[in-house]
Amino acid sequence: MTPTEPLLARGPAAPAAVRPPLPVKMVIAGGFGVGKTTAVGAISEIEPLTTEASITEVAAGVDDLTHTPRKTTTTVAMDFGCITIDPTLKLYLFGTPGQERFGFMWDDIVEGAVGGLVIVDTRRLDDCYAAVDYFEHKGIPFAVAVNAFDGRVEHALEDVRWALDVSEGVPVVVFDARERGSVRDALLVVLELALARTER
């Protein structure tokens, strides 16, 4: 018997075990009504978990509905969804509530996240300052995604960068929170940024 005969006698080799995709947590943040829940819903491969509550008369007196007059609900805890990027990687998406009065939840939501996508509405940039400051303070890589409401953006991206006072190392992109492919591309920008951070 030759050395290879015992191996041949065993029959074909068993297929290698398929590993599940690596789970990666990412946060989608921004001000009230900028499109966080919409973005999670557009990209998620599962039915997204949302914690939407009706906007009451009291809340309407606090939250500015000027640019979102048809908005009748708001996130009061978080949104959750997921998307498999490829066989090796799966993103778990956590959307934060936009109002400052729910800011106490952010530390729990963001814990363990590799990066964040801060969605902004250029008609009210001041609504996203808190999110930008949060990620900068925590040292978490993030990108700014300007939501193209009604298919247009009110200001040039460099003007947005200047107004938010973010460094050149923070990507600023335009996307449409309603379009799956557009949301995917914005998330990939954050993912590439986070991977580059780990390779330093």
Side-chain angles (χ1 to χ4, degrees), residues 80-105:
F80 172 78
C82 63
I83 177 68
T84 302
I85 299 298
D86 62 34
T88 67
L89 189 66
K90 188 168 189 173
L91 288 184
Y92 288 89
L93 308 173
F94 291 77
T96 66
Q99 300 93 323
E100 288 188 25
R101 62 183 178 276
F102 297 124
F104 65 91
M105 302 178 186

PDB file of all heavy atoms in Angstrom, residues 80-105:
ATOM      1  N   PHE A  80     -33.577  49.500  14.700  1.00  0.00           N
ATOM      2  CA  PHE A  80     -32.626  48.405  14.545  1.00  0.00           C
ATOM      3  C   PHE A  80     -32.901  47.672  13.239  1.00  0.00           C
ATOM      4  O   PHE A  80     -34.042  47.392  12.886  1.00  0.00           O
ATOM      5  CB  PHE A  80     -32.726  47.410  15.708  1.00  0.00           C
ATOM      6  CG  PHE A  80     -31.902  46.173  15.504  1.00  0.00           C
ATOM      7  CD1 PHE A  80     -30.524  46.201  15.708  1.00  0.00           C
ATOM      8  CD2 PHE A  80     -32.489  44.992  15.082  1.00  0.00           C
ATOM      9  CE1 PHE A  80     -29.751  45.070  15.498  1.00  0.00           C
ATOM     10  CE2 PHE A  80     -31.721  43.846  14.870  1.00  0.00           C
ATOM     11  CZ  PHE A  80     -30.357  43.891  15.079  1.00  0.00           C
ATOM     12  N   GLY A  81     -31.817  47.371  12.519  1.00  0.00           N
ATOM     13  CA  GLY A  81     -31.910  46.582  11.303  1.00  0.00           C
ATOM     14  C   GLY A  81     -30.556  45.954  11.032  1.00  0.00           C
ATOM     15  O   GLY A  81     -29.591  46.169  11.778  1.00  0.00           O
ATOM     16  N   CYS A  82     -30.458  45.163   9.982  1.00  0.00           N
ATOM     17  CA  CYS A  82     -29.166  44.566   9.637  1.00  0.00           C
ATOM     18  C   CYS A  82     -29.080  44.339   8.131  1.00  0.00           C
ATOM     19  O   CYS A  82     -30.094  44.256   7.442  1.00  0.00           O
ATOM     20  CB  CYS A  82     -28.942  43.251  10.385  1.00  0.00           C
ATOM     21  SG  CYS A  82     -30.127  41.945   9.994  1.00  0.00           S
ATOM     22  N   ILE A  83     -27.848  44.243   7.660  1.00  0.00           N
ATOM     23  CA  ILE A  83     -27.597  44.009   6.248  1.00  0.00           C
ATOM     24  C   ILE A  83     -26.321  43.193   6.102  1.00  0.00           C
ATOM     25  O   ILE A  83     -25.307  43.521   6.716  1.00  0.00           O
ATOM     26  CB  ILE A  83     -27.498  45.343   5.455  1.00  0.00           C
ATOM     27  CG1 ILE A  83     -27.168  45.085   3.981  1.00  0.00           C
ATOM     28  CG2 ILE A  83     -26.493  46.285   6.080  1.00  0.00           C
ATOM     29  CD1 ILE A  83     -28.261  44.423   3.206  1.00  0.00           C
ATOM     30  N   THR A  84     -26.378  42.123   5.323  1.00  0.00           N
ATOM     31  CA  THR A  84     -25.196  41.319   5.044  1.00  0.00           C
ATOM     32  C   THR A  84     -24.453  41.951   3.881  1.00  0.00           C
ATOM     33  O   THR A  84     -24.972  42.018   2.767  1.00  0.00           O
ATOM     34  CB  THR A  84     -25.579  39.866   4.701  1.00  0.00           C
ATOM     35  OG1 THR A  84     -26.327  39.312   5.799  1.00  0.00           O
ATOM     36  CG2 THR A  84     -24.347  39.015   4.466  1.00  0.00           C
ATOM     37  N   ILE A  85     -23.243  42.434   4.163  1.00  0.00           N
ATOM     38  CA  ILE A  85     -22.442  43.103   3.141  1.00  0.00           C
ATOM     39  C   ILE A  85     -21.885  42.097   2.150  1.00  0.00           C
ATOM     40  O   ILE A  85     -21.919  42.290   0.935  1.00  0.00           O
ATOM     41  CB  ILE A  85     -21.303  43.905   3.782  1.00  0.00           C
ATOM     42  CG1 ILE A  85     -21.867  44.989   4.715  1.00  0.00           C
ATOM     43  CG2 ILE A  85     -20.402  44.526   2.721  1.00  0.00           C
ATOM     44  CD1 ILE A  85     -22.721  46.018   4.031  1.00  0.00           C
ATOM     45  N   ASP A  86     -21.335  41.002   2.676  1.00  0.00           N
ATOM     46  CA  ASP A  86     -20.843  39.892   1.869  1.00  0.00           C
ATOM     47  C   ASP A  86     -20.816  38.665   2.781  1.00  0.00           C
ATOM     48  O   ASP A  86     -21.197  38.771   3.948  1.00  0.00           O
ATOM     49  CB  ASP A  86     -19.464  40.205   1.261  1.00  0.00           C
ATOM     50  CG  ASP A  86     -18.387  40.445   2.294  1.00  0.00           C
ATOM     51  OD1 ASP A  86     -18.412  39.808   3.360  1.00  0.00           O
ATOM     52  OD2 ASP A  86     -17.493  41.270   2.038  1.00  0.00           O
ATOM     53  N   PRO A  87     -20.399  37.483   2.297  1.00  0.00           N
ATOM     54  CA  PRO A  87     -20.444  36.292   3.151  1.00  0.00           C
ATOM     55  C   PRO A  87     -19.614  36.394   4.426  1.00  0.00           C
ATOM     56  O   PRO A  87     -19.782  35.585   5.337  1.00  0.00           O
ATOM     57  CB  PRO A  87     -19.893  35.192   2.229  1.00  0.00           C
ATOM     58  CG  PRO A  87     -20.201  35.660   0.847  1.00  0.00           C
ATOM     59  CD  PRO A  87     -20.038  37.144   0.899  1.00  0.00           C
ATOM     60  N   THR A  88     -18.732  37.386   4.507  1.00  0.00           N
ATOM     61  CA  THR A  88     -17.854  37.484   5.677  1.00  0.00           C
ATOM     62  C   THR A  88     -18.260  38.569   6.662  1.00  0.00           C
ATOM     63  O   THR A  88     -17.706  38.641   7.762  1.00  0.00           O
ATOM     64  CB  THR A  88     -16.396  37.766   5.241  1.00  0.00           C
ATOM     65  OG1 THR A  88     -16.321  39.079   4.662  1.00  0.00           O
ATOM     66  CG2 THR A  88     -15.917  36.735   4.236  1.00  0.00           C
ATOM     67  N   LEU A  89     -19.230  39.432   6.293  1.00  0.00           N
ATOM     68  CA  LEU A  89     -19.490  40.611   7.111  1.00  0.00           C
ATOM     69  C   LEU A  89     -20.984  40.960   7.147  1.00  0.00           C
ATOM     70  O   LEU A  89     -21.631  41.040   6.109  1.00  0.00           O
ATOM     71  CB  LEU A  89     -18.708  41.801   6.552  1.00  0.00           C
ATOM     72  CG  LEU A  89     -18.675  43.072   7.373  1.00  0.00           C
ATOM     73  CD1 LEU A  89     -17.932  42.854   8.681  1.00  0.00           C
ATOM     74  CD2 LEU A  89     -18.002  44.190   6.580  1.00  0.00           C
ATOM     75  N   LYS A  90     -21.487  41.179   8.348  1.00  0.00           N
ATOM     76  CA  LYS A  90     -22.879  41.575   8.520  1.00  0.00           C
ATOM     77  C   LYS A  90     -22.953  42.798   9.415  1.00  0.00           C
ATOM     78  O   LYS A  90     -22.402  42.809  10.514  1.00  0.00           O
ATOM     79  CB  LYS A  90     -23.684  40.432   9.138  1.00  0.00           C
ATOM     80  CG  LYS A  90     -25.188  40.673   9.189  1.00  0.00           C
ATOM     81  CD  LYS A  90     -25.912  39.384   9.537  1.00  0.00           C
ATOM     82  CE  LYS A  90     -27.417  39.533   9.387  1.00  0.00           C
ATOM     83  NZ  LYS A  90     -28.104  38.235   9.561  1.00  0.00           N
ATOM     84  N   LEU A  91     -23.594  43.856   8.928  1.00  0.00           N
ATOM     85  CA  LEU A  91     -23.737  45.082   9.698  1.00  0.00           C
ATOM     86  C   LEU A  91     -25.033  45.062  10.487  1.00  0.00           C
ATOM     87  O   LEU A  91     -26.106  44.789   9.944  1.00  0.00           O
ATOM     88  CB  LEU A  91     -23.750  46.301   8.777  1.00  0.00           C
ATOM     89  CG  LEU A  91     -22.467  46.731   8.089  1.00  0.00           C
ATOM     90  CD1 LEU A  91     -22.706  48.019   7.310  1.00  0.00           C
ATOM     91  CD2 LEU A  91     -21.339  46.915   9.092  1.00  0.00           C
ATOM     92  N   TYR A  92     -24.917  45.369  11.779  1.00  0.00           N
ATOM     93  CA  TYR A  92     -26.086  45.550  12.631  1.00  0.00           C
ATOM     94  C   TYR A  92     -26.235  47.049  12.870  1.00  0.00           C
ATOM     95  O   TYR A  92     -25.329  47.698  13.398  1.00  0.00           O
ATOM     96  CB  TYR A  92     -25.918  44.782  13.943  1.00  0.00           C
ATOM     97  CG  TYR A  92     -26.025  43.292  13.737  1.00  0.00           C
ATOM     98  CD1 TYR A  92     -24.909  42.525  13.426  1.00  0.00           C
ATOM     99  CD2 TYR A  92     -27.267  42.657  13.817  1.00  0.00           C
ATOM    100  CE1 TYR A  92     -25.020  41.156  13.200  1.00  0.00           C
ATOM    101  CE2 TYR A  92     -27.383  41.287  13.599  1.00  0.00           C
ATOM    102  CZ  TYR A  92     -26.251  40.547  13.291  1.00  0.00           C
ATOM    103  OH  TYR A  92     -26.367  39.197  13.067  1.00  0.00           O
ATOM    104  N   LEU A  93     -27.349  47.592  12.456  1.00  0.00           N
ATOM    105  CA  LEU A  93     -27.561  49.035  12.437  1.00  0.00           C
ATOM    106  C   LEU A  93     -28.440  49.477  13.593  1.00  0.00           C
ATOM    107  O   LEU A  93     -29.526  48.924  13.815  1.00  0.00           O
ATOM    108  CB  LEU A  93     -28.212  49.449  11.117  1.00  0.00           C
ATOM    109  CG  LEU A  93     -27.512  48.951   9.850  1.00  0.00           C
ATOM    110  CD1 LEU A  93     -28.362  49.276   8.629  1.00  0.00           C
ATOM    111  CD2 LEU A  93     -26.127  49.561   9.731  1.00  0.00           C
ATOM    112  N   PHE A  94     -27.963  50.480  14.318  1.00  0.00           N
ATOM    113  CA  PHE A  94     -28.701  51.036  15.441  1.00  0.00           C
ATOM    114  C   PHE A  94     -28.912  52.524  15.195  1.00  0.00           C
ATOM    115  O   PHE A  94     -27.951  53.289  15.103  1.00  0.00           O
ATOM    116  CB  PHE A  94     -27.925  50.825  16.747  1.00  0.00           C
ATOM    117  CG  PHE A  94     -27.846  49.391  17.190  1.00  0.00           C
ATOM    118  CD1 PHE A  94     -26.960  48.517  16.581  1.00  0.00           C
ATOM    119  CD2 PHE A  94     -28.669  48.918  18.210  1.00  0.00           C
ATOM    120  CE1 PHE A  94     -26.880  47.185  16.983  1.00  0.00           C
ATOM    121  CE2 PHE A  94     -28.589  47.595  18.617  1.00  0.00           C
ATOM    122  CZ  PHE A  94     -27.696  46.717  18.008  1.00  0.00           C
ATOM    123  N   GLY A  95     -30.170  52.923  15.066  1.00  0.00           N
ATOM    124  CA  GLY A  95     -30.487  54.328  14.858  1.00  0.00           C
ATOM    125  C   GLY A  95     -30.824  54.994  16.178  1.00  0.00           C
ATOM    126  O   GLY A  95     -31.615  54.459  16.970  1.00  0.00           O
ATOM    127  N   THR A  96     -30.224  56.143  16.432  1.00  0.00           N
ATOM    128  CA  THR A  96     -30.460  56.851  17.686  1.00  0.00           C
ATOM    129  C   THR A  96     -31.699  57.736  17.582  1.00  0.00           C
ATOM    130  O   THR A  96     -32.089  58.153  16.492  1.00  0.00           O
ATOM    131  CB  THR A  96     -29.268  57.755  18.036  1.00  0.00           C
ATOM    132  OG1 THR A  96     -29.172  58.794  17.052  1.00  0.00           O
ATOM    133  CG2 THR A  96     -27.966  56.964  18.086  1.00  0.00           C
ATOM    134  N   PRO A  97     -32.309  58.063  18.720  1.00  0.00           N
ATOM    135  CA  PRO A  97     -33.357  59.097  18.699  1.00  0.00           C
ATOM    136  C   PRO A  97     -32.713  60.446  18.423  1.00  0.00           C
ATOM    137  O   PRO A  97     -31.559  60.687  18.787  1.00  0.00           O
ATOM    138  CB  PRO A  97     -33.956  59.025  20.113  1.00  0.00           C
ATOM    139  CG  PRO A  97     -32.880  58.433  20.959  1.00  0.00           C
ATOM    140  CD  PRO A  97     -32.101  57.512  20.072  1.00  0.00           C
ATOM    141  N   GLY A  98     -33.442  61.334  17.780  1.00  0.00           N
ATOM    142  CA  GLY A  98     -32.851  62.600  17.362  1.00  0.00           C
ATOM    143  C   GLY A  98     -32.938  63.730  18.369  1.00  0.00           C
ATOM    144  O   GLY A  98     -32.127  64.646  18.345  1.00  0.00           O
ATOM    145  N   GLN A  99     -33.908  63.663  19.273  1.00  0.00           N
ATOM    146  CA  GLN A  99     -34.090  64.768  20.194  1.00  0.00           C
ATOM    147  C   GLN A  99     -33.092  64.706  21.342  1.00  0.00           C
ATOM    148  O   GLN A  99     -32.773  63.639  21.854  1.00  0.00           O
ATOM    149  CB  GLN A  99     -35.520  64.773  20.766  1.00  0.00           C
ATOM    150  CG  GLN A  99     -36.592  64.896  19.709  1.00  0.00           C
ATOM    151  CD  GLN A  99     -37.109  63.547  19.248  1.00  0.00           C
ATOM    152  OE1 GLN A  99     -36.353  62.592  19.139  1.00  0.00           O
ATOM    153  NE2 GLN A  99     -38.396  63.479  18.981  1.00  0.00           N
ATOM    154  N   GLU A 100     -32.633  65.875  21.763  1.00  0.00           N
ATOM    155  CA  GLU A 100     -31.646  65.939  22.842  1.00  0.00           C
ATOM    156  C   GLU A 100     -32.180  65.349  24.137  1.00  0.00           C
ATOM    157  O   GLU A 100     -31.418  64.822  24.951  1.00  0.00           O
ATOM    158  CB  GLU A 100     -31.205  67.389  23.059  1.00  0.00           C
ATOM    159  CG  GLU A 100     -30.316  67.927  21.948  1.00  0.00           C
ATOM    160  CD  GLU A 100     -29.740  69.290  22.292  1.00  0.00           C
ATOM    161  OE1 GLU A 100     -29.627  69.604  23.497  1.00  0.00           O
ATOM    162  OE2 GLU A 100     -29.417  70.031  21.350  1.00  0.00           O
ATOM    163  N   ARG A 101     -33.503  65.378  24.362  1.00  0.00           N
ATOM    164  CA  ARG A 101     -34.044  64.865  25.616  1.00  0.00           C
ATOM    165  C   ARG A 101     -33.898  63.347  25.733  1.00  0.00           C
ATOM    166  O   ARG A 101     -34.068  62.791  26.814  1.00  0.00           O
ATOM    167  CB  ARG A 101     -35.508  65.273  25.776  1.00  0.00           C
ATOM    168  CG  ARG A 101     -36.469  64.744  24.721  1.00  0.00           C
ATOM    169  CD  ARG A 101     -37.873  65.294  24.984  1.00  0.00           C
ATOM    170  NE  ARG A 101     -38.853  64.878  24.016  1.00  0.00           N
ATOM    171  CZ  ARG A 101     -39.057  65.460  22.853  1.00  0.00           C
ATOM    172  NH1 ARG A 101     -38.313  66.506  22.506  1.00  0.00           N
ATOM    173  NH2 ARG A 101     -40.000  65.026  22.022  1.00  0.00           N
ATOM    174  N   PHE A 102     -33.572  62.683  24.606  1.00  0.00           N
ATOM    175  CA  PHE A 102     -33.327  61.242  24.653  1.00  0.00           C
ATOM    176  C   PHE A 102     -31.836  60.927  24.595  1.00  0.00           C
ATOM    177  O   PHE A 102     -31.436  59.780  24.411  1.00  0.00           O
ATOM    178  CB  PHE A 102     -34.033  60.540  23.484  1.00  0.00           C
ATOM    179  CG  PHE A 102     -35.532  60.663  23.520  1.00  0.00           C
ATOM    180  CD1 PHE A 102     -36.224  61.192  22.447  1.00  0.00           C
ATOM    181  CD2 PHE A 102     -36.250  60.258  24.630  1.00  0.00           C
ATOM    182  CE1 PHE A 102     -37.605  61.305  22.468  1.00  0.00           C
ATOM    183  CE2 PHE A 102     -37.638  60.376  24.668  1.00  0.00           C
ATOM    184  CZ  PHE A 102     -38.315  60.905  23.590  1.00  0.00           C
ATOM    185  N   GLY A 103     -31.007  61.934  24.778  1.00  0.00           N
ATOM    186  CA  GLY A 103     -29.559  61.764  24.669  1.00  0.00           C
ATOM    187  C   GLY A 103     -28.963  60.818  25.688  1.00  0.00           C
ATOM    188  O   GLY A 103     -27.883  60.251  25.468  1.00  0.00           O
ATOM    189  N   PHE A 104     -29.655  60.620  26.819  1.00  0.00           N
ATOM    190  CA  PHE A 104     -29.132  59.724  27.842  1.00  0.00           C
ATOM    191  C   PHE A 104     -29.016  58.277  27.357  1.00  0.00           C
ATOM    192  O   PHE A 104     -28.313  57.469  27.964  1.00  0.00           O
ATOM    193  CB  PHE A 104     -30.018  59.774  29.102  1.00  0.00           C
ATOM    194  CG  PHE A 104     -31.419  59.250  28.898  1.00  0.00           C
ATOM    195  CD1 PHE A 104     -31.709  57.916  29.127  1.00  0.00           C
ATOM    196  CD2 PHE A 104     -32.427  60.085  28.446  1.00  0.00           C
ATOM    197  CE1 PHE A 104     -32.997  57.426  28.941  1.00  0.00           C
ATOM    198  CE2 PHE A 104     -33.720  59.605  28.251  1.00  0.00           C
ATOM    199  CZ  PHE A 104     -34.000  58.268  28.495  1.00  0.00           C
ATOM    200  N   MET A 105     -29.682  57.925  26.251  1.00  0.00           N
ATOM    201  CA  MET A 105     -29.625  56.564  25.714  1.00  0.00           C
ATOM    202  C   MET A 105     -28.399  56.322  24.832  1.00  0.00           C
ATOM    203  O   MET A 105     -28.054  55.180  24.544  1.00  0.00           O
ATOM    204  CB  MET A 105     -30.874  56.271  24.873  1.00  0.00           C
ATOM    205  CG  MET A 105     -32.180  56.424  25.590  1.00  0.00           C
ATOM    206  SD  MET A 105     -33.536  56.106  24.444  1.00  0.00           S
ATOM    207  CE  MET A 105     -34.945  56.522  25.471  1.00  0.00           C
TER     208      MET A 105
END
